[in-house]
């Protein structure tokens, strides 16, 4: 009889979690920015190239043995894909594809993680001239979790978890471009 009560309580808890997940947000956006003391042209020319990610991306820098391949269209253009594979769990295996380039302004991307987790994110990096030698770089990252996994978003602060990595990558860009 006690086993039936335990099973009933477990089913009730799981059912409640599934219902809560139906009404929980399933998308999130992370936005970070940094001011770089270089011209907008210099900053944009650096960020548009997938090959430069190995120099600044927090995730690609975690494992010096990360395999990186640029494929598809010419680097810095729509359709250029940076494929990466690492044994580090935070890097994993995936692809960063440039979806659209607004010359001198913005690079839209799609990030596809293939392992150890499978999901897709998108976003953009945009430059804004503050003066002749000062540029604001904005990095926007959009993702989410489908039902019922979105239940975890109640407990995970994705802005804090991923945002700090984006900030570190932005600081790396600043350091490199300002040299």
């Amino acid at each position: 009889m006690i086993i039936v009560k335990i099973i009933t309580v477990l089913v009730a808890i799981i059912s409640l979690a599934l219902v809560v997940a139906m009404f929980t947000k399933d998308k999130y956006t992370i936005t970070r920015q940094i001011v770089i003391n270089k011209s907008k042209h210099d900053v944009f020319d650096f960020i548009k190239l997938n090959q430069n990610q190995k120099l600044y991306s927090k995730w690609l820098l975690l494992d010096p043995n990360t395999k990186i391949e640029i494929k598809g269209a010419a680097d810095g253009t729509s359709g250029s894909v940076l494929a990466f594979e690492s044994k580090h769990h935070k890097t994993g295996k995936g692809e960063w594809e440039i979806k659209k380039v607004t010359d001198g302004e913005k690079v839209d991307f799609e990030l596809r993680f293939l392992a150890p987790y499978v999901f897709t994110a998108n976003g953009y990096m945009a430059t804004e001239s503050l003066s002749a030698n000062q540029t604001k770089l904005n990095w926007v990252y959009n993702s989410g979790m489908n039902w019922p996994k979105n239940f975890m978003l109640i407990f995970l602060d994705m802005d804090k978890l991923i945002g700090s990595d984006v900030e570190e990558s932005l600081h790396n860009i600043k350091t490199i471009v300002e040299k």
Side-chain angles (χ1 to χ4, degrees):
M1 190 62 160
I2 192 150
I3 292 178
V4 172
K5 288 181 182 180
I6 291 172
I7 291 172
T8 302
V9 169
L10 287 174
V11 168
I13 290 170
I14 292 169
S15 297
L16 179 62
L18 292 173
V19 170
V20 168
M22 288 191 316
F23 300 100
T24 300
K25 68 178 182 174
D26 61 352
K27 305 281 185 242
Y28 58 88
T29 297
I30 295 162
T31 303
R32 294 292 189 274
Q33 57 191 15
I34 196 165
V35 174
I36 300 174
N37 296 312
K38 278 293 196 174
S39 71
K40 180 178 172 182
H41 175 77
D42 290 343
V43 174
F44 186 79
D45 280 354
F46 181 80
I47 65 163
K48 76 177 182 179
L49 297 175
N50 279 336
Q51 69 182 359
N52 288 337
Q53 286 196 43
K54 62 186 172 197
L55 303 173
Y56 69 81
S57 170
K58 155 77 185 244
W59 302 283
L60 295 180
L61 292 170
L62 288 170
D63 175 6
N65 297 316
T66 299
K67 295 176 188 163
I68 296 172
E69 177 187 0
I70 307 292
K71 57 186 186 178
D75 197 4
T77 65
S78 298
S80 174
V81 177
L82 177 139
F84 57 90
E85 186 171 355
S86 168
K87 292 182 181 175
H88 194 286
H89 70 280
K90 281 189 89 174
T91 304
K93 179 179 181 181
E95 298 176 330
W96 172 292
E97 180 177 355
I98 297 175
K99 298 304 273 184
K100 180 180 177 188
V101 177
T102 306
D103 198 36
E105 301 286 329
K106 183 175 166 187
V107 177
D108 292 281
F109 65 84
E110 180 176 272
L111 179 56
R112 297 181 289 271
F113 286 97
L114 307 172
Y117 311 103
V118 177
F119 69 94
T120 301
N122 64 59
Y124 63 87
M125 296 173 82
T127 55
E128 177 187 337
S129 182
L130 300 177
S131 69
N133 287 311
Q134 199 171 55
T135 304
K136 184 191 306 181
L137 176 57
N138 295 294
W139 187 331
V140 177
Y141 178 96
N142 304 299
S143 192
M145 293 181 181
N146 293 329
W147 182 87
K149 289 188 256 180
N150 67 315
F151 182 76
M152 294 187 302
L153 291 176
I154 295 171
F155 307 103
L156 296 175
D157 184 351
M158 299 307 284
D159 188 73
K160 186 175 180 180
L161 287 171
I162 297 173
S164 61
D165 291 345
V166 171
E167 284 176 17
E168 187 173 331
S169 297
L170 285 170
H171 283 285
N172 291 341
I173 293 170
K174 178 180 175 74
T175 300
I176 294 165
V177 174
E178 287 183 353
K179 283 185 180 177

